[in-house]
Amino acid sequence: MDKLPESLLIEILSRLGDSADVARCRVTSKTINSIYPELRSINLQCSLTRYINSRSSKTNSNNNNTPFKRIFLNLVSNLRVIESVWLGTDRPLRDVSYDDVEDEADDLYLTDDVFVKEWIGKVSESLNSLSISDFWVQSCWRRSNLLPLVSTHCHNLVKLEVKNAWMSVENLYPMPKLTSLTLEFIRLDDEDLNELNKCFPNLQVLNLIGVGGFKLPKIHLLNLKTCHWTVSNAPSSLTIITPNLVTLRLECISPTELYVEAPMLSHFHLALDQADKFVVKKFESLKTLGLESLYIGSLIYKFPVTKNVVNLTVNSRNWVTGGAGHSVFTLEKVFTVFPNLRSLCVKSSAWSELEACYNPLGWEAFDGMKGFKTFCAYLLLVDPSLTFSSVACVLDQCTGLSEVSLLIHRDVVGNVSRSFISRCMARWPEVKWRWGMWREGIEDSWISDAMHI
């Protein structure tokens, strides 16, 4: 390796997933040790194993385990120019019990003001990407000034990601160069979100995943193009005003009122239990829509007739038969609101609701269905005959379909699946079939892309 060009060695080292591995390479190679200061990124993650060893070192005097924070500070002091920092704790540490952590422990409190001040000034000029994933059991009860410190020092920062912490925005300065912000499992308040709107005016990507503490949250960003917002609590209302937004993924529980004003929105995924007051400014540019709700039929009717949507995915959240006062889910309803669909995907719970409400005479073909080309459904095959009748209702009405994809749950007995597949292919031999398997939490797998298995 010592014979490789220095530029290539630097490229190889920069691609290593853990800066601790780079440090080990320094010990084995004089060349690597000499070029090491030229690296421009730090990626240091505390594993569960390291955490357990650090606990044992407190009771074992022979355990010479360098503190995690000290390792990071050494890395910062040894590099000349740092453009990217990724510092955090591995996912398994999320399962550590509060009972296993001392009340005042801060060895993995990575958004600690004192710790951040030790290194932020050394990386401020060149840093353009920063990611910190804190140790929740140590950070959740202590409010951090990480955001104000970053805004004070890192004027060239473009991408910022913070996870598992309680953040303060007091004395937050504007960061006009910041275009991407991710906050995951962060505690904030309404006034904090207002400060983010004001101080990060040029955000193009915003991810708020499990950010709690809001009552009346509002996102008002003029340059935002992509947003993923997962609301962990149940605020009374949500407001999104984003004139240039193209992609929105919104997951919430039961806001009393939901207001979305995004005239350029093209891709929209909405998941919620129910919204009594769901205000939708007509989406003239919307092409792809995903809807998930306890009462999917009622949610669909919240939308005005939308002729520009061509791709639709629907699902129910733990649907219960006969929800009082709520509209049932039918294909007639889908094509009434979205008459120009070319592609429809019905996930498992929505399909179960459709089967429960099956009535072959309950809906008629629409002119708009002539452009309907691809159909996908996730099946449980609880009653194969009923499922077959429901599939027939779709295929016999939608004669223009060119491709049908059906995924059968992995727990269905093999001979039942094979019998159902054979029956479908014999009934509609002209259809291009795609058959697959699915299960919650496991990636879908396709077992056939051809007309014959």
Side-chain angles (χ1 to χ4, degrees):
M1 181 174 285
D2 288 344
K3 296 180 180 180
L4 293 175
E6 289 188 1
S7 59
L8 181 57
L9 278 176
I10 291 174
E11 179 67 22
I12 293 173
L13 293 177
S14 65
R15 293 176 180 269
L16 291 179
D18 191 339
S19 292
D21 293 332
V22 179
R24 296 184 187 99
C25 291
R26 293 177 63 192
V27 179
T28 61
S29 169
K30 292 182 178 180
T31 301
I32 290 178
N33 188 53
S34 65
I35 66 171
Y36 169 74
E38 302 302 324
L39 289 178
R40 292 174 174 257
S41 64
I42 295 175
N43 181 353
L44 190 64
Q45 306 294 303
C46 182
S47 65
L48 179 61
T49 300
R50 167 173 280 279
Y51 171 77
I52 293 174
N53 288 340
S54 69
R55 304 270 80 74
S56 63
S57 67
K58 294 183 178 182
T59 57
N60 183 359
S61 58
N62 295 323
N63 192 321
N64 187 18
N65 203 30
T66 305
F68 184 73
K69 288 182 178 179
R70 177 53 53 191
I71 295 175
F72 176 75
L73 293 175
N74 288 339
L75 289 170
V76 171
S77 64
N78 287 327
L79 300 185
R80 294 192 179 98
V81 176
I82 300 175
E83 297 177 347
S84 173
V85 169
W86 186 17
L87 175 68
T89 55
D90 286 348
R91 283 185 175 272
L93 280 168
R94 292 184 181 180
D95 299 327
V96 173
S97 169
Y98 287 90
D99 296 334
D100 296 332
V101 181
E102 299 87 343
D103 289 344
E104 301 300 325
D106 64 356
D107 53 320
L108 288 180
Y109 177 30
L110 303 179
T111 57
D112 175 29
D113 297 355
V114 175
F115 172 62
V116 173
K117 288 177 181 178
E118 287 190 65
W119 59 266
I120 194 71
K122 299 177 183 178
V123 305
S124 58
E125 290 298 322
S126 56
L127 194 66
N128 58 52
S129 178
L130 173 62
S131 175
I132 298 181
S133 179
D134 215 333
F135 187 33
W136 180 248
V137 295
Q138 291 186 7
S139 65
C140 65
W141 55 277
R142 294 182 268 208
R143 198 170 189 180
S144 166
N145 287 298
L146 173 71
L147 293 179
L149 287 170
V150 169
S151 70
T152 300
H153 292 88
C154 303
H155 304 299
N156 294 311
L157 197 67
V158 174
K159 183 177 181 180
L160 175 61
E161 180 180 81
V162 186
K163 299 180 180 180
N164 312 322
W166 180 15
M167 291 285 99
S168 170
V169 298
E170 187 176 354
N171 299 319
L172 184 66
Y173 287 93
M175 298 185 67
K177 291 188 178 181
L178 192 72
T179 59
S180 177
L181 175 65
T182 295
L183 300 178
E184 185 172 329
F185 299 110
I186 297 294
R187 180 179 172 184
L188 285 175
D189 299 317
D190 287 340
E191 58 271 19
D192 299 336
L193 185 56
N194 294 335
E195 282 297 303
L196 297 184
N197 287 323
K198 182 175 68 174
C199 293
F200 303 149
N202 294 319
L203 283 181
Q204 296 183 20
V205 177
L206 175 62
N207 299 307
L208 300 176
I209 314 299
V211 178
F214 296 139
K215 295 180 180 178
L216 299 170
K218 177 180 180 180
I219 292 177
H220 189 185
L221 292 166
L222 302 183
N223 296 297
L224 196 64
K225 294 182 179 179
T226 300
C227 180
H228 182 183
W229 193 3
T230 300
V231 185
S232 59
N233 59 339
S236 57
S237 72
L238 295 173
T239 301
I240 300 176
I241 301 176
T242 48
N244 288 296
L245 191 68
V246 175
T247 301
L248 172 61
R249 185 177 184 89
L250 178 60
E251 303 170 50
C252 46
I253 302 174
S254 301
T256 303
E257 185 172 354
L258 175 58
Y259 181 84
V260 179
E261 184 175 340
M264 300 299 294
L265 192 63
S266 177
H267 306 281
F268 186 18
H269 178 90
L270 174 63
L272 75 170
D273 289 349
Q274 55 186 326
D276 297 330
K277 296 180 181 179
F278 178 26
V279 180
V280 180
K281 300 279 279 190
K282 196 166 186 179
F283 299 130
E284 300 289 351
S285 302
L286 191 61
K287 300 296 183 184
T288 300
L289 178 63
L291 297 176
E292 182 180 346
S293 176
L294 271 178
Y295 306 101
I296 188 64
S298 297
L299 180 59
I300 287 175
Y301 268 165
K302 293 288 185 179
F303 284 78
V305 174
T306 308
K307 296 183 178 181
N308 43 294
V309 170
V310 294
N311 303 305
L312 176 66
T313 300
V314 293
N315 200 12
S316 295
R317 283 184 169 183
N318 301 318
W319 175 74
V320 179
T321 304
H326 292 277
S327 178
V328 296
F329 170 63
T330 65
L331 292 179
E332 179 182 7
K333 185 170 299 183
V334 169
F335 285 101
T336 298
V337 178
F338 308 107
N340 294 328
L341 284 183
R342 292 203 297 264
S343 175
L344 173 64
C345 178
V346 182
K347 293 297 185 72
S348 59
S349 294
W351 182 264
S352 296
E353 182 173 349
L354 187 147
E355 284 189 1
C357 304
Y358 169 70
N359 179 1
L361 302 178
W363 62 292
E364 59 185 58
F366 297 90
D367 291 338
M369 289 169 54
K370 293 178 181 178
F372 186 38
K373 297 299 181 183
T374 62
F375 176 73
C376 177
Y378 287 66
L379 312 177
L380 291 170
L381 286 190
V382 175
D383 183 343
S385 296
L386 177 59
T387 300
F388 181 84
S389 298
S390 299
V391 171
C393 186
V394 177
L395 270 62
D396 290 344
Q397 294 282 3
C398 308
T399 56
L401 281 172
S402 58
E403 181 178 297
V404 177
S405 303
L406 299 181
L407 293 96
I408 300 173
H409 198 277
R410 291 175 181 270
D411 290 344
V412 175
V413 179
N415 64 318
V416 174
S417 297
R418 290 190 292 271
S419 175
F420 179 82
I421 291 172
S422 298
R423 188 179 179 188
C424 287
M425 296 179 68
R427 171 74 177 270
W428 298 281
E430 73 285 355
V431 170
K432 179 183 178 182
W433 293 97
R434 296 186 72 218
W435 296 97
M437 297 183 293
W438 72 276
R439 179 185 287 163
E440 300 86 346
I442 299 179
E443 186 177 354
D444 299 339
S445 62
W446 298 96
I447 57 178
S448 173
D449 291 318
M451 293 182 62
H452 301 286
I453 297 180

